[in-house]
Amino acid sequence: MGHIQISGLNKEFVNRRKTRREEDLAPFGQTVPVLEDINIEIEDGEMVCFLGPSGCGKSTLMRIVAGFDHQTSGSVIIDGKAITGPSSDNIFVFQHSGLLPWMTVWQNVELGLRKIENQDEKCEKIQEYIEMVELDGFEEHYPHQLSGGMLRRAEIARALVVNPDILIMDEPFSGLDFLTHMKLREEVVNMHQYLGKTILIVTHDIDDALVMGDRIIVFSRRPSQIKLNRKLDFSHPRNFFKKDTELAKLRDELFFMLGVNYAV
Ligand SMILES: Nc1ncnc2c1ncn2[C@@H]1O[C@H](COP(=O)(O)OP(=O)(O)OP(=O)(O)O)[C@@H](O)[C@H]1O
Ligand SMILES: [Mg+2]
């Protein structure tokens, strides 16, 4: 279960800072419209990638879907129920630096399984997810003893072990080196095919969206509206470097939409 229906959603922020700073979007007390009439339906098991200019409200929308923030108007219905607050049962928000530094990889992954009382079952699950992200052998390592890519893998194991219906990942590959980024995104695609969770991914990388998404949603500048909501019916693995394919054309179109005329 992981069907999401976002209808007529609007979000405004009120500026509460009395001394105005350069970056403030409006004077004290005035509202700033961020999201405007957002309508999106996400199927159970879909991987949806969100693209859009910085500050357009992608993270805000993710926070609203996760129940950490509330829309000004409109609704978010998950599996038939309107969300009213955070739910640890069906939604997990993937965060980097989400690991507790004083706990080992094993203990961090174990945190998501507090509800399982049977110790054997618990150990088996922890091992399964640690192996899934290829961290076997590093169970007793602390976060500071892992590389950037391994840390991100441990964070993914920690997210998936909870077995959420919906996984929200806000820029999950930021700060990683190029090859680790490529490898990890390939692994997320494989995991998605294997586990079939609904996954919402915010990214600034058009290629991430093209390689991973079952659907791509592009936001305009603030106040943001949906500029493109497109299903990607291409099989995996995807190659957009073969020129004149539909995927390569869509890549050029997306770069253009986001302000780059000559995509390389
Ligand atoms: N709690 C808040 N109070 C006031 N304004 C806020 C608050 N949170 C976000 N905003 C404003 O809403 C807008 C959208 O922010 P958000 O973080 O959702 O953007 P984003 O699309 O995730 O950007 P980025 O790509 O840079 O991460 C920004 O202009 C931001 O300043
Ligand atoms: Mg953001």
Side-chain angles (χ1 to χ4, degrees):
M1 296 277 273
H3 176 270
I4 305 171
Q5 177 78 55
I6 301 172
S7 311
L9 184 139
N10 293 284
K11 177 69 182 172
E12 290 172 350
F13 283 112
V14 179
N15 181 15
R16 299 190 196 282
R17 197 153 38 203
K18 287 206 167 138
T19 320
R20 192 161 181 186
R21 288 195 200 154
E22 204 183 329
E23 68 269 24
D24 285 347
L25 303 164
F28 175 72
Q30 281 195 15
T31 54
V32 184
V34 175
L35 296 164
E36 217 170 63
D37 193 24
I38 304 297
N39 295 284
I40 306 169
E41 182 173 7
I42 298 172
E43 301 295 335
D44 182 20
E46 241 187 336
M47 172 131 72
V48 182
C49 294
F50 293 84
L51 290 163
S54 182
C56 73
K58 302 176 295 295
S59 298
T60 301
L61 182 65
M62 296 305 119
R63 281 202 305 276
I64 293 173
V65 172
F68 298 148
D69 201 340
H70 203 263
Q71 63 273 25
T72 308
S73 62
S75 65
V76 180
I77 312 266
I78 295 179
D79 294 326
K81 272 198 218 144
I83 50 155
T84 51
S87 148
S88 60
D89 287 344
N90 62 346
I91 303 184
F92 191 94
V93 181
F94 169 90
Q95 281 176 313
H96 12 173
S97 327
L99 300 180
L100 296 176
W102 59 89
M103 287 189 175
T104 62
V105 168
W106 180 277
Q107 290 166 335
N108 266 291
V109 176
E110 189 179 17
L111 276 179
L113 296 175
R114 273 164 303 177
K115 284 185 190 155
I116 299 185
E117 278 170 17
N118 181 324
Q119 282 306 316
D120 290 344
E121 189 192 336
K122 199 188 245 184
C123 288
E124 212 172 290
K125 267 236 136 65
I126 298 170
Q127 197 59 46
E128 180 190 340
Y129 281 86
I130 287 180
E131 279 172 23
M132 186 189 282
V133 295
E134 294 176 18
L135 278 181
D136 30 325
F138 295 89
E139 290 86 348
E140 298 311 318
H141 281 56
Y142 287 89
H144 74 272
Q145 297 172 311
L146 303 176
S147 71
M150 289 159 93
L151 269 176
R152 219 52 73 85
R153 283 209 179 83
E155 287 156 1
I156 289 176
R158 158 136 177 64
L160 291 175
V161 79
V162 179
N163 196 22
D165 295 327
I166 299 166
L167 185 61
I168 296 177
M169 305 173 106
D170 196 344
E171 301 189 36
F173 310 124
S174 62
L176 292 176
D177 68 87
F178 180 75
L179 288 176
T180 310
H181 177 159
M182 298 281 130
K183 195 154 181 277
L184 213 52
R185 111 177 151 192
E186 217 174 84
E187 284 167 18
V188 173
V189 171
N190 292 339
M191 274 187 257
H192 177 245
Q193 287 180 331
Y194 173 62
L195 297 169
K197 307 259 169 231
T198 303
I199 306 184
L200 277 54
I201 300 189
V202 173
T203 175
H204 280 287
D205 188 326
I206 290 173
D207 294 344
D208 277 353
L210 288 169
V211 166
M212 303 172 82
D214 295 321
R215 180 188 300 278
I216 292 186
I217 292 181
V218 182
F219 287 119
S220 68
R221 292 200 173 280
R222 197 187 47 241
S224 297
Q225 293 175 328
I226 293 174
K227 256 177 137 175
L228 179 85
N229 178 348
R230 168 132 181 210
K231 211 169 168 46
L232 300 185
D233 278 327
F234 308 101
S235 59
H236 293 280
R238 293 177 179 164
N239 180 354
F240 40 74
F241 288 114
K242 276 190 209 145
K243 288 290 166 203
D244 298 324
T245 57
E246 209 187 320
L247 195 62
K249 281 186 200 145
L250 175 62
R251 184 171 185 263
D252 288 344
E253 208 180 295
L254 284 167
F255 269 102
F256 188 68
M257 200 175 266
L258 291 162
V260 180
N261 291 334
Y262 301 103
V264 284

